[in-house]
């Protein structure tokens, strides 16, 4: 299955992916209207340490702890993509407690939110990848390591 | 053909069904369910009262769950499991043949024999959908509610009804809230926040006797109420297992593959006492993630697959009125403690033998799972950047190589 992977050596730390993600998931057509002057809730985050930057988003784990732990049964795997049914989520943050990558966080409505590979919005392919100027985030098939 | 019989129909049973079906797609599965409901998310009962979910959204699995997994649900009460005769018997005498059994019977509220309890007209426990609907009927804008027990269940109930009743008072023999999860200081922060949201407390004090709408406390104080909720504690349902010959203690004793001491009988969820890797001892870990994972593990093994859980740890994510608290692992007395405090937030890391033994965070809990994984995986701290770990949970604590695996590989 195609997943989002990070090439940390190429990341410029420009945070564009965060904006593109927040815009793609805002449901608003106009980027300025969607983002300007608002607190944004992207599902991808740039981390920085000693001048190295890289993007972190949901790994769509093969055996996802968040799915097994959600107290509402709100997280499930659909064709390999780990998705949250926000109408069932009660915002208990058990998924935040268990995700080893820190890849899930409360969204604007209090329900848990994470990368769903832009399958649930109109973007059609991960907006972070599409907009990355330096191919520091890619969307591709990779083999499992032994 | 004798199939698999699951006793109980909670989250552990759902995990067991999914575990069995990941290995064996055909052998019949029969679930025996005392509650007359399809599997639902038990922790959501307080969110229902709060108006944050509905009964239909509380379904833990989609409508076609049993059909898709070829499961027959019998709404009834199992009374015995006999692995010599290979059958499970219900209280109506019905017998069901089985080749393996999973006891996923959960726990029951424990109600101490309070003097005068029989004189109280409106009294409830808070464990099931039926309890919740009955409580909902009994409360109104003018109700004064007394909750006995300031543990997770009592406080979740308090949060759930706070805006629907005139007053909520919680009493507990312990001198602090959430005494089994939090120390004095953390409990103090949570208590203050609950009080700010209208909950009153009578701590270090408990009911000596009831007299209709009055509770007379040990201290001599009196509390008048209209509705009583008993949330003193829960007890694992072990009787059936005990009668079947399984070793039991506070829960049904299981090994890391969810086997009990009797061949062919497995057990999972709140009724068990399984391996807690944070202390190295067997312990009742009555949390939903554990119930699901144990159920799944049991199911895989019942169906002839191979699965083991040796990294279970206690962990909790609890929130009241918007203030969250997460914790995982243990806090050994001899550990080195790193702490950061502000007015309404606490972050405390317990470091022992070169590992993160446990942690607790109140307030900003974001990305806490990175800490949880250090506890669960017992990561040696000399492999990570401890200075950064102390600043906040992030993947910058890992070396470039480890990070490349985490972000550049299939995990
Ligand atoms: C109010 C509340 C809030 C909670 N909040 C949280 C939380 O935030 N996070 C968390 O991790 N956990 C929470 N929990 C705990 C969580 O609900 C349990 O850990 C989980 O439901 C355990 O699942 P289980 O399948 O083991 O048992 P249960 O859910 O108890 O299911 C067992 C079922 O078996 C049935 N049964 C028992 N004996 C028999 C028999 N002989 N024959 C037929 N059926 C039988 C019972 O009636 C019951 O329906 C909460 C619990 C409560 C009550
Ligand atoms: S949210 Fe975390 S645990 Fe769940 S699939 Fe994504 S990376 Fe894995
Ligand atoms: S916050 Fe929502 S998605 Fe996360 S565990 Fe709780 S109910 Fe499930």
């Amino acid at each position: 299955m195609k997943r989002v992977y990070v090439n940390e050596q190429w990341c410029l730390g420009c945070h564009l992916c965060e904006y593109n993600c927040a815009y793609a998931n805002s449901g608003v057509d106009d980027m300025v209207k969607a983002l300007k002057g608002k607190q944004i809730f992207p599902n991808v985050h740039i981390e920085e340490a000693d001048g190295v930057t890289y993007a972190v988003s949901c790994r769509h784990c093969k055996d996802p702890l968040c799915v097994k732990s959600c107290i509402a049964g709100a997280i499930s795997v659909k064709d390999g993509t780990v998705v949250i049914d926000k109408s069932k989520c009660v915002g208990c943050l058990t998924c935040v407690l268990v995700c080893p990558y820190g890849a899930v966080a409360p969204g604007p409505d209090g329900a848990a939110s994470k990368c769903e590979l832009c399958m649930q919005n109109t973007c059609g392919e991960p907006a972070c990848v599409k907009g990355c100027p330096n191919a520091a985030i890619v969307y591709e098939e990779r083999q499992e390591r032994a | 053909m004798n199939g698999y019989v699951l006793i109980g129909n909670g989250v552990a049973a759902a995990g067991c069904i999914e575990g069995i079906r990941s290995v064996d797609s055909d052998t019949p599965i029969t679930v025996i369910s005392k509650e007359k409901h399809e599997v639902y998310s038990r922790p959501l009962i307080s969110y229902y009262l709060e108006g944050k979910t509905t009964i239909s959204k509380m379904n833990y699995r989609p409508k076609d769950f049993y059909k898709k997994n070829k499961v027959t649900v019998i709404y009834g009460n199992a009374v015995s499991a006999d692995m010599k005769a290979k059958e499970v018997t219900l209280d109506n005498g019905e017998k069901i043949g089985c080749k393996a059994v999973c006891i996923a019977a959960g726990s029951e509220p424990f109600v101490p024999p309070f003097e005068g309890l029989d004189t109280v007209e409106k009294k409830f426990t808070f464990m099931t959908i039926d309890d919740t609907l009955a409580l909902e009927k009994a409360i109104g804008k003018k109700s004064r509610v007394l909750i006995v027990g300031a543990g997770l269940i009592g406080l979740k109930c308090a949060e759930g009804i706070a805006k629907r009743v005139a007053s909520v008072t919680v009493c507990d023999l312990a001198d602090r809230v959430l005494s089994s999860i939090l120390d004095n200081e953390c409990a103090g922060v949570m208590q203050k926040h609950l009080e700010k949201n209208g909950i009153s407390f009578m701590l270090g004090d408990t009911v000596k006797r009831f007299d209709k709408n009055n509770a007379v406390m040990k201290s001599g104080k009196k509390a008048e109420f209209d509705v009583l909720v008993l949330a003193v504690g829960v007890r694992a349902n072990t009787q059936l297992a005990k009668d079947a010959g399984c070793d039991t203690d506070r829960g049904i004793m299981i090994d890391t593959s969810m086997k009990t001491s009797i061949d062919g009988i497995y057990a999972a969820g709140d009724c068990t006492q399984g391996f807690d890797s944070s202390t190295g001892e067997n312990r009742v870990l009555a949390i939903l993630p554990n119930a699901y994972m144990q159920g799944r593990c049991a199911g895989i093994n019942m169906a002839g697959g191979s699965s083991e859980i040796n990294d279970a740890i206690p962990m909790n994510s609890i929130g009241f009125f918007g203030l969250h608290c997460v914790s995982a692992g243990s806090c050994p007395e001899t550990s080195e403690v790193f702490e950061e405090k502000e007015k309404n937030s606490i972050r405390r890391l317990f470091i022992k033998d070169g590992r993160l033994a446990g942690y607790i965070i109140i307030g900003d809990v974001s990305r806490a799972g990175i800490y949880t994984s250090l506890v669960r995986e017992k990561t040696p701290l000399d492999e990570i950047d401890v200075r950064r770990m102390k600043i906040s949970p992030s993947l910058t604590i890992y070396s470039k190589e480890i990070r490349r695996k985490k972000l550049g590989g299939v995990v």
Side-chain angles (χ1 to χ4, degrees):
Chain A
M1 176 195 135
K2 277 165 97 172
R3 287 181 170 82
V4 170
Y5 297 102
V6 171
N7 295 322
E8 93 179 24
Q9 68 276 27
W10 300 120
C11 178
L12 307 168
C14 68
H15 294 259
L16 248 182
C17 49
E18 294 176 352
Y19 290 100
N20 283 322
C21 174
Y23 172 46
N25 291 308
S26 66
V28 178
D29 291 341
D30 181 331
M31 188 160 191
V32 176
K33 271 198 196 125
L35 306 180
K36 198 172 174 194
K38 293 197 177 135
Q39 187 190 356
I40 63 165
F41 293 85
N43 296 323
V44 57
H45 291 272
I46 294 298
E47 283 193 7
E48 196 259 316
D50 301 333
V52 178
T53 56
Y54 52 89
V56 180
S57 60
C58 170
R59 307 317 306 140
H60 296 277
C61 304
K62 274 189 300 153
D63 192 17
L65 277 167
C66 59
V67 173
K68 296 191 272 192
S69 301
C70 172
I71 67 162
I75 316 183
S76 60
V77 186
K78 296 224 154 58
D79 303 324
T81 307
V82 177
V83 298
I84 303 182
D85 178 346
K86 293 198 178 184
S87 76
K88 288 186 78 160
C89 169
V90 292
C92 72
L93 307 191
T94 303
C95 48
V96 174
L97 167 72
V98 299
C99 171
Y101 305 93
V104 53
D109 47 2
S113 175
K114 62 173 215 47
C115 165
E116 300 189 358
L117 299 174
C118 286
M119 302 287 189
Q120 85 294 4
N121 59 36
T122 53
C123 195
E125 62 181 298
C128 55
V129 172
K130 200 157 74 172
C132 179
N134 216 27
I137 335 174
V138 295
Y139 183 51
E140 62 191 29
E141 194 98 34
R142 283 192 187 173
Q143 287 312 308
E144 253 169 74
R145 279 160 227 258
Chain B
M1 178 176 43
N2 279 359
Y4 307 107
V5 175
L6 280 43
I7 299 173
N9 187 23
V11 165
C16 187
I17 292 168
E18 290 174 357
I20 292 172
R21 287 296 176 242
S22 71
V23 178
D24 172 349
S25 50
D26 291 317
T27 308
I29 301 176
T30 305
V31 168
I32 303 167
S33 177
K34 210 193 282 190
E35 285 184 68
K36 300 209 167 16
H37 297 280
E38 290 176 359
V39 58
Y40 64 92
S41 302
R42 185 171 305 295
L44 264 48
I45 57 178
S46 68
Y47 295 89
Y48 165 78
L49 290 175
E50 219 184 330
K52 287 194 172 162
T53 190
T54 61
I55 296 290
S56 69
K57 281 187 193 153
M58 284 168 70
N59 266 1
Y60 184 66
R61 285 293 181 257
K63 276 279 163 221
D64 59 354
F65 176 67
Y66 298 107
K67 197 170 162 212
K68 230 169 107 185
N69 287 295
K70 299 179 205 152
V71 176
T72 309
V73 184
I74 297 178
Y75 291 99
N77 190 5
V79 290
S80 68
D82 179 347
M83 287 322 283
K84 285 206 187 82
K86 296 227 177 297
E87 62 190 19
V88 170
T89 307
L90 306 194
D91 60 354
N92 65 4
E94 190 180 338
K95 290 184 192 302
I96 301 156
C98 59
K99 65 183 216 182
V101 172
C102 182
I103 303 178
S107 51
E108 298 271 310
F110 163 63
V111 179
F114 288 112
E115 187 189 330
L117 188 57
D118 53 330
T119 65
V120 179
E121 190 197 333
K122 292 181 177 174
K123 51 176 184 273
F124 304 89
T125 51
F126 194 60
M127 276 290 280
T128 64
I129 281 191
D130 293 350
D131 290 344
T132 307
L133 294 176
L135 175 62
E136 184 177 40
K137 257 196 193 149
I139 56 171
K141 277 277 165 229
K142 290 190 180 147
S143 311
R144 296 159 301 171
V145 182
L146 175 66
I147 300 177
V148 186
L152 174 68
I153 295 178
L155 293 184
K156 269 290 166 193
C157 181
E159 180 189 38
I161 60 177
K163 297 210 166 62
R164 302 178 64 166
V165 298
S167 70
V168 181
T169 305
V170 183
C171 67
D172 200 303
L173 192 54
D175 61 0
R176 60 174 194 267
V177 300
L178 300 164
S179 60
S180 63
I181 306 171
L182 302 182
D183 60 43
N184 269 325
E185 192 182 12
C186 293
V189 172
M190 290 314 267
Q191 183 182 337
K192 246 195 226 134
H193 183 72
L194 284 153
E195 283 170 341
K196 235 193 256 161
N197 285 279
I199 312 293
S200 311
F201 290 95
M202 296 170 89
L203 297 176
D205 201 359
T206 191
V207 178
K208 197 169 141 205
R209 67 186 159 83
F210 289 104
D211 183 10
K212 291 190 183 121
N213 285 358
N214 282 292
V216 181
M217 309 298 290
K218 282 246 161 69
S219 63
K221 279 189 205 152
K222 282 190 182 158
E224 223 183 310
F225 62 86
D226 305 301
V227 175
L228 176 68
V229 178
L230 296 156
V232 178
V234 297
R235 270 191 185 159
N237 282 325
T238 55
Q239 194 59 46
L240 186 145
K242 214 186 222 166
D243 295 345
C246 304
D247 287 343
T248 61
D249 182 29
R250 301 182 77 146
I252 305 166
M253 299 301 279
I254 49 171
D255 67 9
T256 52
S257 57
M258 311 303 126
K259 286 191 176 100
T260 68
S261 57
I262 297 290
D263 257 355
I265 302 185
Y266 295 72
D270 281 13
C271 60
T272 68
Q273 196 164 322
F275 181 68
D276 168 1
S277 90
S278 77
T279 59
E281 281 163 12
N282 271 42
R283 192 168 143 183
V284 178
L285 288 176
I287 49 174
L288 185 138
N290 199 51
Y292 179 81
M293 291 187 237
Q294 288 189 336
R296 188 176 167 87
C297 175
I300 292 171
N301 291 323
M302 286 163 79
S306 155
S307 175
E308 198 185 18
I309 301 177
N310 45 30
D311 61 356
I313 51 170
M315 55 178 184
N316 279 288
S317 173
I318 45 187
F320 301 101
F321 303 107
L323 181 62
H324 284 278
C325 169
V326 296
S327 61
S330 59
C331 36
E333 268 172 31
T334 52
S335 53
E336 174 203 330
V337 182
F338 169 80
E339 182 178 77
E340 236 178 35
K341 273 195 280 194
E342 276 168 65
K343 195 157 162 277
N344 279 320
S345 70
I346 295 181
R347 192 160 54 91
R348 215 179 267 157
L349 308 180
F350 300 90
I351 298 168
K352 189 166 191 253
D353 300 332
R355 305 223 169 9
L356 184 64
Y359 75 91
I360 178 162
I361 302 175
I362 296 180
D364 180 5
V365 304
S366 50
R367 313 195 77 194
I370 294 173
Y371 286 157
T372 309
S373 79
L374 294 176
V375 177
R376 185 189 302 108
E377 289 165 24
K378 297 190 179 354
T379 310
L381 293 186
D382 54 16
E383 288 176 10
I384 68 162
D385 188 328
V386 175
R387 186 184 59 88
R388 289 210 183 107
M389 174 185 83
K390 288 179 177 172
I391 297 171
S392 69
S394 81
L395 300 183
T396 64
I397 64 174
Y398 293 109
S399 69
K400 218 177 179 146
E401 291 68 47
I402 296 182
R403 202 158 59 224
R404 191 174 302 142
K405 270 190 212 146
K406 288 187 186 286
L407 298 178
V410 178
V411 292

